[in-house]
Amino acid sequence: MHDSFLTFANKRYLWVAIVLLLGCLVAYIWHDPSPHPNGGTWLGYTLGTIGAVLIYWLTSLGLRKRAYSSNLGSLGGWLSAHVYLGTALLLVALLHSGFQFSWNVHTLAFVLMTLVILSGFVGVFTYLRYPALMTRNRENASRQSMLEEISSLDQQSLQLADGIDARLHAIVARSIDNTRFGGGVRGMLRTNDASEQALRQVREALEKREKAGQSAEPRTQEMPTMYAMVDFLAAKATDVQAETMRKLLDALSRKKSLATRVSRDIQLQSLMELWLYVHVPLTFALLAALTAHIIVVFFYW
Amino acid sequence: MRWFVRRITRKGKGNVGYQDFAFDGDTLTIGRGADQVVALTDIRSALAHAELTALGSGKVRVESKVITGVKIDGRAERNAIVKRGAVIELGGVRVKLLDAPKGFDAAVEVSPLESVESRVASQALDKTLADTWLSKRRPAWFLFLVVALLFLLLPMFAHFVPQTRPVIDIIPLTSRMTWQSGELARAHHTFGDRCETCHEKPFQPVRDEACGACHGAIPAHADPAKFNLPALGNTRCAHCHRDHNGPDQLIDAQQALCSDCHRDMQASSKGATKLVDAEDFGTAHPPLKVNLPGWNDEGRFTPSRVELKPGLREASGLKFPHELHLRTKGLSGPEGSRVLDCGSCHVAEPGGGRMRPVDFETMCQSCHRLDFDLLAPDRQVPHARIPEILAMLDEYYAGRALAGGYEDARAPIFVQQRRRPGQALTAAQTIEARAWAGNRASEIGESLFTGRACNVCHTVTRSEGAAQDRWIVDPVRVSGVWFAKALFPHSGHSTMQCGECHAAAASKTSTDLLIPGIDNCRQCHGGEAAIKRVESTCITCHRFHDSPYQLMGDLQRAARESKPAVPEKKS
Amino acid sequence: MSERFRIAIVGSGPGGMSAAAHAAELGVPHVLLEAQPHLSNTIYRYQKGKHVMSEPDALPLRSPLAFAAGTREKVLGDWSSGVTKVKTNVAHGHEVTAITKQPSGHFEIRCGNGRTLEAETVVMGIGLQGNIRKMGIPGEDLPFVQYTLDDPEEYEGETIVVVGAGDAAIENAVALAERNKVIVINRRDEFARAKEGNLQAIMKGIGDGRIECYFGSSPEVVEAVEAGPKPGRMALSTPNGKAEIALDRVIARLGATAPRAFVEACGVEFPNSDPACVPAISPKYESNVPGLYIVGALGGYPLIKQAMNQGYEVIEHILGRPVEPADEPLLRQKFGRMPGFTSVEAALAKVQTNVKLLSHITPLQLREFMLDSEVRTPRPGEAIFERNDYTDTFYSIVEGEAQVILEGDKRVTLGSGEFFGEMSLISGRRRSATILAGANCVLVETPRRSMNKLINSVEAVKRSIDAVFILRAIQSRFAPESSYAELAPIVDNATIEKFKAGEVLFREGEEGDCLHLVRVGSLTISRQIGGREVVLSYVAAGNYVGEMTMMGEGKRTATATAAIGSETVRVDAAAFKELMLRNPLLRLRIQSEYRQRAAANLALQNLPTGGDLISFLISQGAGEATDILLIDESLCVRCDNCEKACAETHGGTSRLDREAGPSFAEIHVPTSCRHCEHPHCMKDCPPDAIHRAPNGEVFIADNCIGCGNCKRNCPYGVIQMASKPPKKPGLLSWLLFGAGSGPGEAPHDDAADAGHSASAKKAVKCDMCKDLSGGPACVRACPTGAAVRISPEEFPAYAQSRR
């Protein structure tokens, strides 16, 4: 029922691409001009035209994608063709160039094209791999619902913390303030959230209380107040407080896991989108180079 | 210190109500605790969240009692001194410092953050890359413009505005060198980045005039007046010369370029040509033709171009059996026996193009000596200069007759006996001596021309007439250039043995034509597409620019001025 | 000596008002008695800005007062200006307490303000609303206690107690909960009287804690509080003791005391004690008390326009002038097509005599019925509808005959008086047969809505339709070749059974004594495999289950469960077996289908997850779907292009929410319309704007009034209220320069900035892009092929494709 863009219509466009490639290869081998194959021969011009048309057409996917009421085939088909013919383009262009490269605008166009296509391969890879990862990570919860649950958990833990001690409340409040999802490119590509810290501190506090009497382990200079608090709790946390603290611990851990999932979700999605931020700009560089290439070739004919 | 506190309460539809109260004391405490002056309800706020201390003159110290600090004008602070107008956000409320009204030292307005606001605040963070500074459009434009500018617009500008070239063309990125599709031919490297020398106008293929500017003096291929081949007139240079294909690839050697015209020429030239079709050396090439030596009635050397076929004799006028001279056991000569090979006589010219003429003095004379008198064995007559020879003989014998002491029995006695110095002959004796000398000289000459020397190699005939031109030696002349229309460099074939092509060792008479035919070439050479043989296209042997009477430049001019290739006769 | 009028009109509702105005127009001495300081209290109490409809649109208005669909304010404005224009004699603040017929024939009318006046005839237009019920506890009249709510947006950040459990109370509570702390006090333990949509709304509100509700509780006292944050507090008794609520405001919506007692006091008799019933009145609207006329809702005409026409007509009657009903011309025009048409009366009579089905209903109902319906006279041989059409109208044959073409080209001829189209009407599925018009055939085509109205209001109609349904269902499904007579034994002891969603028809291993022919809804067939129930297949309406018992084995081989609320025709096994004996063809047919099913089940047993997938989909309400959007999350790259496509092709608002909705085994069911067999959204659409297109798409027509009922009624939350967005800049200008808003992004609304919103909100939902060639944009716009739309029949195949 679901037809991935690679298998679209029994790989119709894979076959199209293969036929195209074979055609070009045969022509190229049979042609063999002197002194050596290049864009200047009739085959060169033919391949060049094919390549240029392909490139402009491939670029037009961006338009078709947004021409929602268009009936020019389904977008899935377009993407499928985009992928396969785009790959074929690599060889078409190589044959067009007759494997002549040097430091000039023509080679620049080729290099840009290659980069675009390679970034496209990355895209194909991510599109095949990441959706499944995201699904697994989300466990059937939508991101919004997770965020909502987190905020309710925040409220809950605040109340619990409040029930124990103002300073604990402060820690939790702070950890909530510091919990950030996404935010900035780096923020998205890394998975991090601050609930970890609070969790650790509370846990410590609890353990301290469990093995009360033992001396506090050497303190690092980071946030002495925290440790003061820990000591305080270790010292005179009543059973009730301890119980609440366990509850708090649960809430925080639950939040922690949720938070991790949300930020992982964001991370995965941004990783899945990242390649486009290379693919598209390069494409436009390519368009410029290609146009230059075509004009130049005839400018100095 | 007296505080004026106004608490805003929302009533919906934007309209708000508020209640004011005064507070006496320096520090205004804010928090969820009951003891706080400004009591908050939001769970996010701590029991004691912050303290505001009035410092007078509108200044207020804000101290956060929580580690997180409070947001003062958007920045998180733990301890700060602020002026009126400052906005402090904490635990779901916004505290604004107002001007203190009459009778108060400080004033604050406490209003709840709208639920919407706080919601926004919590979700303000971008969740997808699209929300971040990352953009596709901006870099796309940037790259597009940069590439277009550097590699298209600026170079173009340089093309149209020469003044800018010194700047634009020296920058590697913008110079028009980046337009070069390939390296120029070596000779053209001199142009450097002066593209316009050849590419005069944009979007116009390179015109022949551009080439003509330097190469105008190069011979044309053939005279269109002779060959009615319009194609000849307007073939572009670029037809065969494509540059930007690397240093050595300027000439396109494809035989098709020639065979296009040299195929069924009778038809294309409407029978005007005598040329035979040639398309491929290996398969479709006419038999070779050689310049056979010959003399016209005035005795001028006029070689005739004849097809090379077995049994063809040549007449160089020399008697020279190669077989005899190339005997492997050698020839015995005055300086003893000696083995000759081709190289002893045929020496290539410097550059190796053709052979030097064979030189008698250096190559033959060592054996074929020109001495004439046994009494003076190392006196020789000069070669090929008949008058000198005769004069030399006369002079020699006259001298001997007068000097005496010529011990030859047939000579007069007083010529034989030697005499003391100052002892002169009598007049009668002198006359006799002279007569003898004259006879002797002519007798010796006779033997030289007809006997011993000249007619060994040359054909000598006697004529009645003045003494000095009594002997006529037929002239000797080898063709020199056998293939007038093609190039055969011996140098290129130095790996071969002469005998492999020239059947000299077996030739008993010099009328044998030792020039090999096309079959001989084809043993090694094939056409363009030859396999297992040297691929040789037309221009391996022939030249395109080969017309003795026409220059490429003129021809193209003619074509350009759209004169018909064949100028029609004005009647 | 009190003053005396020719006509006294009690109550200034649409009916009374228009009567008074007409009287004034004719210069008849009259008085309009109104308790409130304003006219037409009922409509006056509508929520601010509420859209008032002018149904039935076809009906011409006949009144000196202007009336057209519009906002409450406009309508009221028109009326009061109209009333003053014709110099109507209005007496406000006159609450009539008693009307007594004097021996001398005239009436004496006593008013609450002590005034008494006399009239020769009385027109009673007091409606059914009656007087608002107050809480009847101390403090019920405190300033912060109110019995109406004009604009919920007026209040924010308040604690508001809403007393009552009716639709009004619920609507207020839900609306207020947006900005306020709302506490609902419900005397009962559930919201019994509420519309389904409202019920879900309030339950959701309570569910996510936005609304607090005291069930089985009643307020005891409300009192003002001087000091403290809140102006008042309410004490109430709850099942677990007393409670006290500090509050800003009390809104009590307790409905009103029905005016029946008062009316009866005036001597008017009611036919029965059903609270809904209205006094019997003559065609001239005169009650059993001569000279006492009743108009409007109390006279059984709940619609405004009808009431106003009545008001006009009643005056005409009183003045003894003949007047034909307002809908006469319409009906005449409708019946005009009918051959041999003489008069509307005759035509109506003919319809009622010929069509048994309609013989039970009152002339009034018939007129209304005919107003909604169309009279059609198709040429002989013309197709009335084709098999697998998705139309759902109901046809009654007045004259001539029609031919039914069943499966296998079996033809059945229906004579005059019979009806057809009931199958699709009931099952909500495609037409099961093609109908060709016979010779001189006259049909009455009735839209689904009015037919359902009739079925639900007149039991007799329902009964006869069901009887015919059973007969035809059995014949067309099992034995097209056998005649009604042969089928009689089966049909007679076949019964219709209802099942709630999840209810079990029969269990695996039970003794099977019947088979079920699904007529509404759908079933799932499951089997115990490895100790757990595995769904093997899905049975849609129009198919049958339980035939396996007929094939030898006496025990049920699987469990049949109703996927959604369903109805089946229960066919008795014995009778069926008998039929099979008599009819070998049937036996063969059943056997072959049996074999196919067994095979399919086996296939599914081999991939239990497939079964789980089906049950998951069913649990997502796919059971009642005709077409559902599914997303394969292992392919979906979250580009939201589907949403964008939807928004772009549907005026800027996406009808689907990709991310929302549950997932199972990487199959995601996004929030988007399933085009149910019996669309919940159609249930309660005042302007009847929701229709099913011939290909099955359920769509909302432009005459939507934005009441939001459909939104409330949709259990899948796929309907939104949206206003037409402003024009967007071209795609390229966005693509290249980022001008304007991109695809799918809400376009920038200058009008909104300027303060006045662009246009009124209307309900929007998925229409499966019925107007776009090439099918649903969401599916076509999916770059990775993750989105598909399939119908429940394909589920088994789908499940197998997912292994």
Side-chain angles (χ1 to χ4, degrees), chain A residues 1-5 63 65-66 68-71 74-76 79 127 131-132 134-135 138 140 142-143 269 272, chain C residues 632-634 636-638 641 644-645 648 659 663 734-735 743 773 780-786 788 798 802:
Chain A
M1 297 267 184
H2 299 282
D3 211 356
S4 139
F5 60 92
L63 281 175
K65 179 185 165 197
R66 296 172 175 83
Y68 295 107
S69 40
S70 154
N71 276 333
S74 77
L75 190 56
L79 185 61
Y127 273 20
M134 285 181 82
T135 318
R138 276 195 191 177
N140 296 350
S142 80
R143 187 187 290 174
Q269 178 152 16
M272 187 167 64
Chain C
D632 180 346
E633 285 197 322
S634 62
C636 172
V637 296
R638 278 74 167 170
N641 213 35
K644 291 175 191 164
E648 287 306 296
E659 194 178 355
S663 310
W734 172 82
L735 214 49
S773 52
R780 276 187 305 120
C782 180
T784 58
V788 293
Y798 181 71
R802 295 295 305 173

Side-chain angles (χ1 to χ4, degrees), chain C residues 8-21:
Chain C
I9 300 114
V10 182
S12 67
M17 193 165 39
S18 124

Side-chain angles (χ1 to χ4, degrees), chain C residues 528-544:
Chain C
Q528 281 287 335
I529 296 174
R532 46 189 275 285
E533 203 74 6
V534 174
V535 174
L536 296 182
S537 70
Y538 163 91
V539 181
N543 300 311
Y544 57 84

Side-chain angles (χ1 to χ4, degrees), chain A residues 35 301, chain B residues 185 188 197-198 200 205-221 230-245 249-254 257-258 539 544-545 551-557 559-560:
Chain A
W301 205 343
Chain B
H188 290 163
T197 22
C198 305
E200 300 149 314
V206 174
R207 288 155 59 253
D208 295 335
E209 294 82 333
C211 312
C214 305
H215 300 284
I218 196 165
H221 179 54
L232 256 182
N234 37 40
T235 21
R236 294 182 53 232
C237 304
H239 196 69
C240 314
H241 302 289
R242 300 196 152 280
D243 208 337
H244 297 289
N245 276 330
Q249 294 285 9
L250 187 55
I251 300 168
D252 189 344
Q254 289 180 84
L257 289 172
C258 305
I539 62 170
F544 177 84
H545 298 286
L551 290 188
M552 207 66 202
D554 313 340
L555 222 127
Q556 288 163 340
R557 207 168 302 108
R560 182 163 63 260

Side-chain angles (χ1 to χ4, degrees), chain C residues 375-384 401-402 436-443:
Chain C
V375 176
R376 293 187 51 196
T377 55
R379 280 173 286 92
E382 177 183 342
I384 293 156
E401 54 187 26
L436 300 182
N440 52 41
C441 162
V442 178
L443 303 172

